Amino acid sequence: MDNKIHQINKIAVVGTGVIGNGWIARFLAQGFDVIAFDPAEGAEQRTQKAIDQAWPSLVKIGLADGAAQNRLTFMPTIEEAVCEADLIQENVPEREDLKKSVLASIDAYAKPEAIIGSSTSGIMPSTLQEGLKHPERLIVAHPFNPVYILPLVELVAGKETSAAVMDRAKNFYASIEMKPLIIRKEIEGHLADRLMEALWREALHLVNDGVATTEEVDAAIIYGAGLRWAQMGPFLTFHLAGGEKGMRHMLEQFGPTLKLPWTKLEAPELTDELKEKVITGCETHAGDTTIAEMEEKRNAFLVELLDLVESYWPETTATEKVVVKQ
């Protein structure tokens, strides 16, 4: 496929939960027409509410020419939603059978040159390609919540995905101010979620074993590792820990003593007692602050943090910025 011929101008979003609505808000803010489909009752009203909540943050980030909330249209059928789209973003619940069924419908009704991106957080694209008439145009395009602010999108090719589709997808997502990260090999959970799940596993161990409360675990990340990771990530952070000789010295000096905690890989059993510790801890920590209030504070923080990250670390080799004319 020729990138110049197959421009992405019209987008369809199938499934309008938290992630689907996040995509819609980002696409609208970037000046696109968006067609949405979700058979759930009240979906259109929930989407409009989500966009209203996201829009102030998007205004602070900066709207593209032509950005407008009224460029969103809901369609009554999946066929009507995807038939004219250049890119379809699928976001239905994380059930393999449901995703395969929905993707088969999208594949049947979408025009041949359209890209199909699944927002799945854990299923491999080769699995989702099974049974499709045009498996070469399906990829995983996995974002992070809130999609309209966080720039990372993991792009994963299946066994039958064409290189041209991956190239078009990378260029497109970069053009809407995202940081596309090409995952080199298919693996359940892709990359970023596997890292977050590893931290989550250890956090559960610490709470379960009475080492720390949920609030104390959060504080350890907020005021320690999290501040450093926002700029450099875990590898360069450890590289600095090795002094002038960097990672080489760090591994020689600290590697042996850290082997035990590094290799505690098994997750704790999620007993009723552990669940209650986690739930009570979070509710106590949050206090009287509502979820809506927490989301508003999170969004304001992330908008400011992104500016700071970009000022200190404007480029990365893994997610190079690609500018594309729409």
Side-chain angles (χ1 to χ4, degrees):
M1 296 180 183
D2 187 328
N3 287 356
K4 293 181 179 179
I5 296 175
H6 298 301
Q7 294 291 331
I8 294 174
N9 297 309
K10 185 173 288 188
I11 297 171
V13 173
V14 176
T16 59
V18 172
I19 298 300
N21 286 336
W23 275 120
I24 290 171
R26 178 178 280 273
F27 292 143
L28 291 174
Q30 289 293 319
F32 284 91
D33 291 316
V34 181
I35 307 297
F37 171 76
D38 192 318
E41 185 177 350
E44 188 169 354
Q45 290 74 25
R46 286 190 294 273
T47 293
Q48 188 57 58
K49 182 180 178 181
I51 294 170
D52 289 341
Q53 291 174 337
W55 211 253
S57 296
L58 289 163
V59 170
K60 288 181 181 178
I61 293 170
L63 300 176
D65 291 341
Q69 295 189 38
N70 62 10
R71 295 183 70 172
L72 169 66
T73 305
F74 266 77
M75 289 295 185
T77 68
I78 196 168
E79 179 179 2
E80 292 172 282
V82 307
C83 64
E84 295 183 3
D86 303 304
L87 180 138
I88 301 105
Q89 194 76 42
E90 171 273 312
N91 320 276
V92 300
E94 200 75 356
R95 298 203 323 262
E96 184 179 318
D97 58 340
L98 176 61
K99 281 193 177 291
K100 281 186 170 182
S101 174
V102 171
L103 287 168
S105 295
I106 292 172
D107 186 48
Y109 297 128
K111 54 188 182 183
E113 67 272 19
I115 295 174
I116 303 173
S118 174
S119 295
T120 178
S121 60
I123 306 172
M124 296 193 293
S126 289
T127 300
L128 297 177
Q129 287 175 333
E130 295 170 358
L132 297 185
K133 294 180 180 179
H134 299 284
E136 73 284 348
R137 42 88 168 268
L138 178 118
I139 63 168
V140 163
H142 173 236
F144 295 84
N145 186 42
V147 184
Y148 51 90
I149 297 177
L150 294 183
L152 184 65
V153 57
E154 295 178 318
L155 302 184
V156 194
K159 293 177 182 177
E160 298 187 69
T161 304
S162 78
V165 165
M166 282 297 285
D167 184 57
R168 286 181 65 213
K170 178 182 177 182
N171 281 288
F172 169 71
Y173 289 109
S175 78
I176 60 169
E177 303 300 324
M178 300 193 83
K179 299 285 187 182
L181 181 63
I182 304 294
I183 307 303
R184 295 171 182 268
K185 294 183 179 180
E186 288 188 82
I187 186 171
E188 294 88 349
H190 321 314
L191 174 57
D193 273 0
R194 291 182 70 94
L195 295 172
M196 290 188 288
E197 286 163 7
L199 181 62
W200 174 238
R201 178 181 60 236
E202 293 305 314
L204 289 176
H205 271 298
L206 293 167
V207 172
N208 189 55
D209 296 345
V211 175
T213 65
T214 57
E215 185 172 1
E216 289 163 349
V217 170
D218 283 352
I221 298 300
I222 292 169
Y223 300 111
L227 290 172
R228 298 181 298 187
W229 288 346
Q231 183 190 13
M232 293 187 175
F235 280 108
L236 282 185
T237 294
F238 277 128
H239 185 58
L240 284 183
E244 291 184 2
K245 294 185 179 179
M247 182 65 80
R248 185 176 302 280
H249 178 68
M250 201 286 295
L251 290 177
E252 291 172 354
Q253 182 77 9
F254 301 108
T257 60
L258 291 174
K259 183 178 180 182
L260 178 60
W262 277 352
T263 53
K264 191 172 184 178
L265 298 176
E266 196 169 321
E269 183 180 350
L270 197 59
T271 61
D272 289 341
E273 182 182 3
L274 176 54
K275 285 191 286 188
E276 196 56 37
K277 281 184 179 180
V278 171
I279 293 166
T280 303
C282 290
E283 290 176 344
T284 302
H285 188 185
D288 295 330
T289 308
T290 67
I291 294 297
E293 290 169 339
M294 291 178 69
E295 287 179 342
E296 187 176 346
K297 289 181 179 180
R298 175 204 63 191
N299 290 357
F301 173 79
L302 289 175
V303 170
E304 291 188 34
L305 182 61
L306 276 174
D307 285 340
L308 185 62
V309 170
E310 288 290 341
S311 69
Y312 277 85
W313 204 254
E315 297 284 349
T316 69
T317 55
T319 57
E320 60 181 329
K321 193 167 185 178
V322 182
V323 178
V324 186
K325 292 183 178 179
Q326 295 176 6

